[in-house]
């Protein structure tokens, strides 16, 4: 439990003192592969020496994973438990599966106590249902935009939102009472919903903004965008960094180079993103541990000069800026559209009244022109 180890907030302070951010390496490896990765010569020593942490994605709770956590505990390496559902159930949490979140946490807490293993924090990954994402990115130009607009139009009818928000908030209270710090991994567009003062995007995407201790915005530059060479150039980090408590960066996919959709960031791009993220936060999640081990990047990261300059690609930053401006305008209209129309109606009525008064003249009657 967090009460028996330093909290991440204490680690934040220590990171600032050492003038570099706290790095948490996320892994989705199964228990056997995780143990082999951790036993790679020098890995545990480097993690412990640099004060790095490990975030374990936990679709299953078994004795082998507990042994991996115990190994990290023994070396004083901080561990964050990233709760998730089995892949066949959709993996991430959202409005549609919120009843499963409490069950998942209850099973985790019982497992951690039975195995006598300790975690600094518990994390929830909040993402839209996989089938919804598939529907929103079909082939064809502008089809995805139309799909998103349709979801936004129907968003207010999403009756799951209030119940899910209340349930997740209650779950966070329970986690706090159990002594855990709570982190949430969120899509960066959650910041646009906050800025506009709406929950429209949340309802449209079946996600929910939660009162976590640390809100982590997922801002990987490794995205399947052919015109950008699958590298958004740090644009998400530069655009959303000020809105984040922490940032998640790194390669997309499940860490397996042979897996479909795996898009590894070259070292130069990962270095750029690390330096950019460090401008905004002292807690950075990196995906993934196995990718960094396989490519020998841990030692490179340890020797990184955190004072070195880094800039996002201009083209990517311009694209994200335009998209965010358009999204903010859409959310603003959705929030204030009826009020704006009502006020415009009153303004039009006032203008017509003033014009009528002017035409009637000072005597109150209609003015007439007398011809000589």
């Amino acid at each position: 439990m967090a009460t028996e180890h330093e909290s991440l907030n204490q680690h934040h302070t220590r990171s600032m003192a050492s003038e570099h951010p706290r790095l948490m390496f996320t892994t989705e490896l199964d228990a056997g592969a995780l143990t082999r990765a951790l036993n790679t010569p020098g890995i545990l020593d480097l993690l412990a020496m640099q004060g790095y942490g490990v975030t374990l994605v936990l679709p299953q709770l078994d004795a082998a994973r507990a042994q991996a956590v115990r190994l990290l505990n023994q070396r004083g390496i901080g561990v964050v438990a990233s709760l998730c559902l089995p892949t066949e159930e959709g993996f991430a949490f959202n409005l549609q599966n919120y009843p499963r979140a409490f069950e998942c946490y209850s099973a985790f807490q019982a497992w951690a106590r039975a195995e006598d293993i300790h975690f600094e924090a518990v994390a929830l990954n909040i993402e839209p249902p996989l089938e919804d994402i598939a529907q929103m990115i079909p082939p064809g130009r502008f089809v995805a935009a139309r799909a998103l607009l349709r979801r936004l139009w129907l968003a207010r009818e999403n009756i799951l939102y209030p119940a899910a928000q209340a349930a997740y908030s209650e779950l966070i209270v329970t986690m706090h009472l159990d002594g855990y710090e709570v982190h949430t991994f969120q899509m960066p567009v959650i910041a646009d919903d906050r800025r506009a003062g709406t929950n429209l995007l949340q309802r449209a995407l079946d996600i929910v903004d939660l009162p976590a201790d640390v809100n982590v915005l997922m801002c990987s530059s490794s995205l399947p965008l052919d015109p950008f060479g699958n590298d958004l150039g740090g644009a998400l980090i530069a655009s959303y960094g000020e809105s984040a408590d922490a940032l998640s960066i790194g390669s997309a996919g499940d860490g397996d180079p042979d897996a479909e959709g795996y898009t590894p960031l070259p070292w130069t791009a990962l270095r750029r993103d690390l330096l950019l993220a460090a401008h905004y936060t002292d807690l950075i999640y990196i995906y993934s541990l196995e990718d960094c081990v396989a490519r020998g990047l841990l030692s490179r990261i340890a020797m990184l000069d955190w004072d070195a300059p880094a800039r996002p690609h201009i083209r990517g930053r311009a694209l994200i800026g335009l998209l965010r401006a358009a999204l903010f305008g859409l959310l603003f209209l959705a929030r204030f559209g009826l009020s704006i129309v009502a006020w415009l109606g009153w303004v039009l009525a006032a203008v017509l009244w003033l014009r009528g008064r002017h035409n009637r003249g000072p005597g109150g009657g209609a003015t007439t022109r007398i011809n000589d």
Side-chain angles (χ1 to χ4, degrees):
M1 292 176 62
T3 53
E4 300 180 26
H5 283 257
E6 292 177 299
S7 71
L8 284 185
N9 282 332
Q10 292 172 309
H11 283 301
H12 295 178
T13 303
R14 188 167 63 189
S15 295
M16 291 299 289
S18 60
E19 299 182 353
H20 68 77
R22 178 88 190 286
L23 303 182
M24 302 295 298
F25 291 87
T26 302
T27 177
E28 294 184 19
L29 289 174
D30 61 38
L34 174 60
T35 301
R36 289 192 295 273
L38 293 177
N39 286 324
T40 301
I43 295 300
L44 287 173
D45 290 336
L46 191 152
L47 291 173
M49 184 182 303
Q50 295 295 326
Y52 297 156
V54 175
T55 303
L56 297 184
V57 179
L58 297 172
Q60 293 180 336
L61 306 171
D62 50 37
R65 280 187 173 83
Q67 182 57 36
V69 177
R70 197 171 290 112
L71 179 63
L72 293 166
N73 288 164
Q74 291 169 354
R75 298 299 299 268
I77 299 169
V79 187
V80 171
S82 181
L83 304 186
C84 66
L85 297 171
T87 304
E88 60 271 17
E89 294 187 44
F91 184 77
F93 295 105
N94 48 64
L95 298 187
Q96 296 184 18
N97 59 23
Y98 74 88
R100 290 282 286 119
F102 220 111
E103 298 173 13
C104 185
Y105 173 70
S106 297
F108 159 77
Q109 179 67 341
W111 172 71
R113 286 177 174 171
E115 296 287 351
D116 191 27
I117 51 180
H118 310 289
F119 297 87
E120 291 183 350
V122 177
L124 296 173
N125 195 318
I126 309 294
E127 295 184 35
L130 294 177
E131 58 271 19
D132 288 0
I133 296 177
Q135 292 174 6
M136 291 176 58
I137 52 174
R141 183 175 294 183
F142 305 124
V143 177
R146 289 198 299 269
L148 177 59
L149 289 174
R150 183 176 182 277
R151 293 185 69 90
L152 287 172
W153 179 260
L154 300 174
R156 297 188 187 279
E157 301 176 13
N158 192 335
I159 60 176
L160 291 175
Y161 182 81
Q165 186 182 50
Y168 281 120
S169 297
E170 182 180 350
L171 176 58
I172 288 177
V173 171
T174 301
M175 292 173 174
H176 284 157
L177 291 175
D178 288 336
Y180 292 112
E181 188 171 277
V182 182
H183 299 192
T184 53
F185 291 95
Q186 296 278 8
M187 299 177 65
V189 292
I190 202 80
D192 297 299
D193 229 6
R194 295 170 188 161
R195 182 171 65 162
T198 72
N199 54 36
L200 197 66
L201 280 175
Q202 298 169 58
R203 292 174 181 266
L205 298 175
D206 278 335
I207 59 178
V208 58
D209 195 7
L210 296 172
D213 299 296
V214 178
N215 283 285
V216 186
L217 297 188
M218 297 181 287
C219 293
S220 172
S221 292
S222 176
L223 297 174
L225 299 172
D226 291 336
F228 292 84
N230 297 330
D231 176 12
L232 202 51
L236 287 173
I237 299 169
S239 184
Y240 286 98
E242 292 182 352
S243 304
D245 298 328
L247 290 165
S248 176
I249 66 172
S251 299
D254 61 5
D256 180 1
D258 298 324
E260 183 180 355
Y262 178 68
T263 312
L265 271 180
W267 162 244
T268 53
L270 180 59
R271 175 184 178 277
R272 175 204 64 217
D273 286 2
L274 281 166
L275 295 176
L276 285 172
H279 284 296
Y280 300 103
T281 179
D282 61 345
L283 178 61
I284 303 173
Y285 281 85
I286 302 175
Y287 189 90
S288 66
L289 175 65
E290 51 268 31
D291 176 61
C292 291
V293 170
R295 293 198 281 157
L297 300 183
L298 285 178
S299 57
R300 285 189 169 191
I301 293 172
M303 294 186 294
L304 193 61
D305 177 9
W306 292 98
D307 293 324
R311 295 180 181 179
H313 292 176
I314 295 177
R315 192 159 62 113
R317 186 66 190 273
L319 173 64
I320 297 299
L322 287 173
L323 291 176
R324 292 196 70 186
L327 187 56
F328 180 77
L330 187 63
L331 294 175
F332 182 85
L333 287 176
R335 181 180 180 185
F336 297 108
L338 293 178
S339 298
I340 292 173
V341 171
W343 279 107
L344 287 176
W346 282 107
V347 170
L348 180 60
V351 170
L352 293 175
W353 179 79
L354 289 173
R355 288 189 61 185
R357 183 185 177 112
H358 174 75
N359 290 336
R360 287 195 300 269
T367 57
T368 58
R369 183 172 181 176
I370 302 175
N371 295 324
D372 295 334

